[in-house]
Amino acid sequence: MAAAAGPWPELEAAARERRRELSLSGAAVAERVAAGGGRLPEALLALPLLQSLELSGCAALRELGPGVAAALPALHTLVLSRNALGPAGLGEGLGGPLPALRLLDLSGNGLEALPAALGGTGGGAGDAAPAFPQLRSLNLSANRLRELGPGLARAAPQLQELLLSGNRLRALPGGLLAPDGPPAPFPLLSRLDAADNEVAELGADIAALPALKSLDVANNQLRELPATLADCPRLKEANFKGNQLRDKRLEKMVNGCQTKAILEYLRAGGRGKGKAETGREDVRKKKREKQQKKDGGDGEQDEVEEASKLLVKVLHVSENPAPLVVKVSPCVKDVRAFIVCCVLKGVNLKPGNALKRFLTMQTKLHEDICEKRTVATIATHDLQLVKAPLTYDVQPPDELKITPLGRKEIKAKDLLRQLQLEAEEQRKQKKRQNVSGLHKYLQLLDGKDSYPCLVDAEGAVISFPPITNSEKTKIRKETRDLFLEVTSDTSLQICKDVMDTLILKIAELNRSALENKEGSGSDMESDALCGAGNLNLPLVVEQVRVVDTDGNLKVLYPSKTDLATVASLLTVIR
C-alpha cells in the first residue's frame, strides 16, 4: 500500500484513542487519497481494533491496496460506496478472509464484475473456506454488473440481504443458483433487491431460496412472472412495478401492491398456464404444504409479523442540509465517556394520554435496560427548543447551572443537596429506606469532581446526566420532533443498544396514538404495505455526528449496523 502524501490526523487520533469506528470523507480526504496514488494510506493497517470503517464519496479512491483484510481482522462493517473501485482495486485489499465482517457496501463504484473474493473470476475453489463466513448484508447497487456467478454463495454462505438495484443484470437469479454452485445456496437470504436493471427473465429457480421474504424487481423488462413464485414459502413483499407484463389483470394487481393476491393468482395458474404446468400444480401444492408443515406453520405467523412491523426511515447526514453535530470535550473521558444522539421526527403526542405514556415508557427503560441508570441514561428534548451546535462537556459542581424539569435554575451542587434533603424527608415520612424519583440516582455522582453536561449554543445546560435534563427543552403535547441522547460511563455499545430500544418504543407509542386517533380500516394492511397508510407512515431518524474538538468523527448514529437489535419488530428504510 503506497503511502499517501501528507499527514492523516484522523488515523493518528484513531490509533491514539484505540477507536473501533472510523469514517473518512470530504475534500481533504479525497486530496490525500489522490496524492497517494488513489490508495488508502498505510497508517490504516495499524488499526487492528477497528470494527467499522467507512470511506465514501471519494472519486480518487481506485484501490484498497494489499493487506487490508489481514490487518483489520475485527472489522464487522465496511462501507466503500460512491468511490472508483474496480474488481482489481478491490482484489488486493479483500484478498484475505474477513471472518467477522457482517456488512459490506460497495455500491456506486462502477463495478463491471465482482472481485475474486466475492466469487468473481479467479475466486476460490469450491472446497475453499468462505472468505466472508459471517457476512449478512451485501450492497452492490449502482454498479455495472451484468451477471453474477455461484461463487458468491460460497464466499458468503450466511448472506441475508443482497442489494443489486441499478445494475445491468439480464436474468435473476441467473448464475447465482447455477448447477455447479453449492448444493443449498443462500439458505438465509430473506431480501433480494434487483430493481432498475435489465432483467428480462425471472427464473423458476427463484423458489429455491427458502428464506426469501422480500423481492424487488421493479423497473425491469419482465413480460411474465413464473408460477413458481407462489412456491416461495415465506415470500410476503414483492415489487414488480415498472415492468410491461403481458397479463393485464396481473399488472393491475402489481400496480395495486397486492402481493398476496399476486401469489394466489400465480398459484391458480394465471395467464399462460399450459397443460404441463396444470399437471404440476398438485405437486407444487404438496411441496408447499410440506414446507409449511416443516416450518411449524410459521408462514401465517410471518405474515402477521410483517404486517405489524413498525417503520422508521433513516435520513443520512449527506442528505440532510443542516445536520446536527455534537462536539465532545476530552474531559468527559474520565467522568462519563460515551454519548450517542439522533433526531426523531414525526411523533404524535397529542392524542389522549400519549405524552404521559411516553414519559412512563422512559421511566421503565431507565429501570430495566438502563439498570436504574447505572449503565446508561436517556434524555429526550423538543428539537425545536434545542439551539445547536451542542457540546458534551464537564463542569465543576459549583459552576454547572441548570433549570431542572419542574424547578427553577440552580447550581448542580445545590440541586444535589436539595435532592438529598428531600430524600431524607421521604424516608422519614414513609418510614422506609427506599426513595423515589430523582432521589434514587444521587449516589451515581459520588466521588465526582466534575459533572457531565450537554450545553447548547447559548451556553445553557440542557442535560445533566444521570440526574435530569432541562425545563428549557421540555417535551410537550405539541412536540413533533425529538432530539434523543443516551450517555453511559460503561460502553458505547450500551448507548447504542439503549437508543435502539428507545426508538422502537417511541415507534410503538406513535402507532398506538394514531390508532386511537384514527381507528383502523379493512384495507389498512394493504395501504401499509404500499407505504400509503397513515398508521404506518415511517418516523424519520436523522443521523447525528458526535465529533471530537478537532472535528474528527467519534460516532455516527444510526450507522448501517445500528437498530439491528430490534430488527424483528422494526423495518428500517435506509
PDB file of all heavy atoms in Angstrom, residues 330-346:
ATOM      1  N   PRO A 330     -12.601  16.432  25.537  1.00  0.00           N
ATOM      2  CA  PRO A 330     -11.786  15.296  26.005  1.00  0.00           C
ATOM      3  C   PRO A 330     -11.922  15.064  27.514  1.00  0.00           C
ATOM      4  O   PRO A 330     -11.609  13.972  28.002  1.00  0.00           O
ATOM      5  CB  PRO A 330     -10.353  15.704  25.624  1.00  0.00           C
ATOM      6  CG  PRO A 330     -10.393  17.186  25.440  1.00  0.00           C
ATOM      7  CD  PRO A 330     -11.770  17.504  24.953  1.00  0.00           C
ATOM      8  N   CYS A 331     -12.417  16.058  28.244  1.00  0.00           N
ATOM      9  CA  CYS A 331     -12.525  15.934  29.699  1.00  0.00           C
ATOM     10  C   CYS A 331     -13.588  14.931  30.136  1.00  0.00           C
ATOM     11  O   CYS A 331     -13.580  14.484  31.292  1.00  0.00           O
ATOM     12  CB  CYS A 331     -12.825  17.293  30.312  1.00  0.00           C
ATOM     13  SG  CYS A 331     -11.588  18.558  29.967  1.00  0.00           S
ATOM     14  N   VAL A 332     -14.522  14.575  29.238  1.00  0.00           N
ATOM     15  CA  VAL A 332     -15.589  13.646  29.643  1.00  0.00           C
ATOM     16  C   VAL A 332     -15.075  12.221  29.788  1.00  0.00           C
ATOM     17  O   VAL A 332     -15.752  11.374  30.366  1.00  0.00           O
ATOM     18  CB  VAL A 332     -16.760  13.660  28.630  1.00  0.00           C
ATOM     19  CG1 VAL A 332     -17.321  15.051  28.468  1.00  0.00           C
ATOM     20  CG2 VAL A 332     -16.336  13.083  27.286  1.00  0.00           C
ATOM     21  N   LYS A 333     -13.892  11.966  29.264  1.00  0.00           N
ATOM     22  CA  LYS A 333     -13.358  10.601  29.223  1.00  0.00           C
ATOM     23  C   LYS A 333     -13.340   9.950  30.594  1.00  0.00           C
ATOM     24  O   LYS A 333     -13.627   8.755  30.738  1.00  0.00           O
ATOM     25  CB  LYS A 333     -11.957  10.617  28.618  1.00  0.00           C
ATOM     26  CG  LYS A 333     -11.336   9.233  28.444  1.00  0.00           C
ATOM     27  CD  LYS A 333      -9.981   9.330  27.770  1.00  0.00           C
ATOM     28  CE  LYS A 333      -9.367   7.952  27.573  1.00  0.00           C
ATOM     29  NZ  LYS A 333      -8.022   8.021  26.938  1.00  0.00           N
ATOM     30  N   ASP A 334     -12.975  10.709  31.641  1.00  0.00           N
ATOM     31  CA  ASP A 334     -12.848  10.133  32.974  1.00  0.00           C
ATOM     32  C   ASP A 334     -14.091  10.334  33.832  1.00  0.00           C
ATOM     33  O   ASP A 334     -14.091   9.970  35.020  1.00  0.00           O
ATOM     34  CB  ASP A 334     -11.638  10.763  33.683  1.00  0.00           C
ATOM     35  CG  ASP A 334     -10.331  10.483  32.954  1.00  0.00           C
ATOM     36  OD1 ASP A 334     -10.172   9.360  32.438  1.00  0.00           O
ATOM     37  OD2 ASP A 334      -9.483  11.397  32.871  1.00  0.00           O
ATOM     38  N   VAL A 335     -15.143  10.909  33.232  1.00  0.00           N
ATOM     39  CA  VAL A 335     -16.360  11.174  34.003  1.00  0.00           C
ATOM     40  C   VAL A 335     -17.523  10.338  33.480  1.00  0.00           C
ATOM     41  O   VAL A 335     -18.111   9.534  34.206  1.00  0.00           O
ATOM     42  CB  VAL A 335     -16.706  12.675  33.963  1.00  0.00           C
ATOM     43  CG1 VAL A 335     -17.997  12.954  34.758  1.00  0.00           C
ATOM     44  CG2 VAL A 335     -15.558  13.496  34.531  1.00  0.00           C
ATOM     45  N   ARG A 336     -17.871  10.553  32.215  1.00  0.00           N
ATOM     46  CA  ARG A 336     -18.961   9.798  31.569  1.00  0.00           C
ATOM     47  C   ARG A 336     -18.661   9.828  30.078  1.00  0.00           C
ATOM     48  O   ARG A 336     -19.101  10.709  29.351  1.00  0.00           O
ATOM     49  CB  ARG A 336     -20.313  10.433  31.892  1.00  0.00           C
ATOM     50  CG  ARG A 336     -21.518   9.568  31.600  1.00  0.00           C
ATOM     51  CD  ARG A 336     -22.803  10.214  32.107  1.00  0.00           C
ATOM     52  NE  ARG A 336     -23.960   9.350  31.923  1.00  0.00           N
ATOM     53  CZ  ARG A 336     -24.339   8.405  32.775  1.00  0.00           C
ATOM     54  NH1 ARG A 336     -23.651   8.220  33.888  1.00  0.00           N
ATOM     55  NH2 ARG A 336     -25.408   7.659  32.538  1.00  0.00           N
ATOM     56  N   ALA A 337     -17.902   8.857  29.602  1.00  0.00           N
ATOM     57  CA  ALA A 337     -17.186   8.970  28.332  1.00  0.00           C
ATOM     58  C   ALA A 337     -18.057   8.836  27.089  1.00  0.00           C
ATOM     59  O   ALA A 337     -17.710   9.356  26.037  1.00  0.00           O
ATOM     60  CB  ALA A 337     -16.075   7.924  28.279  1.00  0.00           C
ATOM     61  N   PHE A 338     -19.194   8.155  27.182  1.00  0.00           N
ATOM     62  CA  PHE A 338     -19.873   7.737  25.954  1.00  0.00           C
ATOM     63  C   PHE A 338     -21.211   8.450  25.774  1.00  0.00           C
ATOM     64  O   PHE A 338     -21.998   8.571  26.718  1.00  0.00           O
ATOM     65  CB  PHE A 338     -20.088   6.222  25.964  1.00  0.00           C
ATOM     66  CG  PHE A 338     -18.820   5.447  26.200  1.00  0.00           C
ATOM     67  CD1 PHE A 338     -18.550   4.892  27.441  1.00  0.00           C
ATOM     68  CD2 PHE A 338     -17.878   5.312  25.200  1.00  0.00           C
ATOM     69  CE1 PHE A 338     -17.383   4.198  27.679  1.00  0.00           C
ATOM     70  CE2 PHE A 338     -16.699   4.612  25.415  1.00  0.00           C
ATOM     71  CZ  PHE A 338     -16.448   4.057  26.656  1.00  0.00           C
ATOM     72  N   ILE A 339     -21.446   8.899  24.547  1.00  0.00           N
ATOM     73  CA  ILE A 339     -22.709   9.552  24.208  1.00  0.00           C
ATOM     74  C   ILE A 339     -23.106   9.183  22.784  1.00  0.00           C
ATOM     75  O   ILE A 339     -22.264   9.118  21.886  1.00  0.00           O
ATOM     76  CB  ILE A 339     -22.616  11.089  24.378  1.00  0.00           C
ATOM     77  CG1 ILE A 339     -23.973  11.749  24.067  1.00  0.00           C
ATOM     78  CG2 ILE A 339     -21.523  11.680  23.498  1.00  0.00           C
ATOM     79  CD1 ILE A 339     -24.041  13.216  24.451  1.00  0.00           C
ATOM     80  N   VAL A 340     -24.388   8.922  22.589  1.00  0.00           N
ATOM     81  CA  VAL A 340     -24.967   8.643  21.282  1.00  0.00           C
ATOM     82  C   VAL A 340     -26.218   9.508  21.146  1.00  0.00           C
ATOM     83  O   VAL A 340     -27.015   9.605  22.086  1.00  0.00           O
ATOM     84  CB  VAL A 340     -25.328   7.146  21.137  1.00  0.00           C
ATOM     85  CG1 VAL A 340     -26.238   6.919  19.948  1.00  0.00           C
ATOM     86  CG2 VAL A 340     -24.073   6.311  20.992  1.00  0.00           C
ATOM     87  N   CYS A 341     -26.383  10.149  19.990  1.00  0.00           N
ATOM     88  CA  CYS A 341     -27.513  11.054  19.781  1.00  0.00           C
ATOM     89  C   CYS A 341     -28.155  10.817  18.411  1.00  0.00           C
ATOM     90  O   CYS A 341     -27.513  10.308  17.494  1.00  0.00           O
ATOM     91  CB  CYS A 341     -27.064  12.513  19.867  1.00  0.00           C
ATOM     92  SG  CYS A 341     -26.209  12.963  21.382  1.00  0.00           S
ATOM     93  N   CYS A 342     -29.407  11.208  18.289  1.00  0.00           N
ATOM     94  CA  CYS A 342     -30.070  11.228  16.991  1.00  0.00           C
ATOM     95  C   CYS A 342     -31.280  12.143  17.079  1.00  0.00           C
ATOM     96  O   CYS A 342     -31.683  12.573  18.163  1.00  0.00           O
ATOM     97  CB  CYS A 342     -30.483   9.824  16.534  1.00  0.00           C
ATOM     98  SG  CYS A 342     -31.836   9.114  17.479  1.00  0.00           S
ATOM     99  N   VAL A 343     -31.860  12.439  15.927  1.00  0.00           N
ATOM    100  CA  VAL A 343     -33.088  13.219  15.842  1.00  0.00           C
ATOM    101  C   VAL A 343     -34.195  12.296  15.346  1.00  0.00           C
ATOM    102  O   VAL A 343     -33.983  11.500  14.436  1.00  0.00           O
ATOM    103  CB  VAL A 343     -32.909  14.413  14.877  1.00  0.00           C
ATOM    104  CG1 VAL A 343     -34.253  15.040  14.524  1.00  0.00           C
ATOM    105  CG2 VAL A 343     -31.976  15.457  15.492  1.00  0.00           C
ATOM    106  N   LEU A 344     -35.367  12.389  15.976  1.00  0.00           N
ATOM    107  CA  LEU A 344     -36.514  11.573  15.578  1.00  0.00           C
ATOM    108  C   LEU A 344     -37.677  12.504  15.251  1.00  0.00           C
ATOM    109  O   LEU A 344     -38.150  13.237  16.123  1.00  0.00           O
ATOM    110  CB  LEU A 344     -36.896  10.607  16.699  1.00  0.00           C
ATOM    111  CG  LEU A 344     -37.963   9.566  16.365  1.00  0.00           C
ATOM    112  CD1 LEU A 344     -37.465   8.623  15.264  1.00  0.00           C
ATOM    113  CD2 LEU A 344     -38.343   8.766  17.600  1.00  0.00           C
ATOM    114  N   LYS A 345     -38.136  12.460  13.989  1.00  0.00           N
ATOM    115  CA  LYS A 345     -39.175  13.379  13.540  1.00  0.00           C
ATOM    116  C   LYS A 345     -40.470  12.635  13.212  1.00  0.00           C
ATOM    117  O   LYS A 345     -40.441  11.522  12.699  1.00  0.00           O
ATOM    118  CB  LYS A 345     -38.699  14.151  12.300  1.00  0.00           C
ATOM    119  CG  LYS A 345     -37.589  15.161  12.599  1.00  0.00           C
ATOM    120  CD  LYS A 345     -37.298  16.044  11.392  1.00  0.00           C
ATOM    121  CE  LYS A 345     -36.336  17.168  11.761  1.00  0.00           C
ATOM    122  NZ  LYS A 345     -36.075  18.063  10.614  1.00  0.00           N
ATOM    123  N   GLY A 346     -41.586  13.305  13.526  1.00  0.00           N
ATOM    124  CA  GLY A 346     -42.892  12.760  13.153  1.00  0.00           C
ATOM    125  C   GLY A 346     -43.659  12.120  14.291  1.00  0.00           C
ATOM    126  O   GLY A 346     -44.635  11.405  14.039  1.00  0.00           O
TER     127      GLY A 346
END
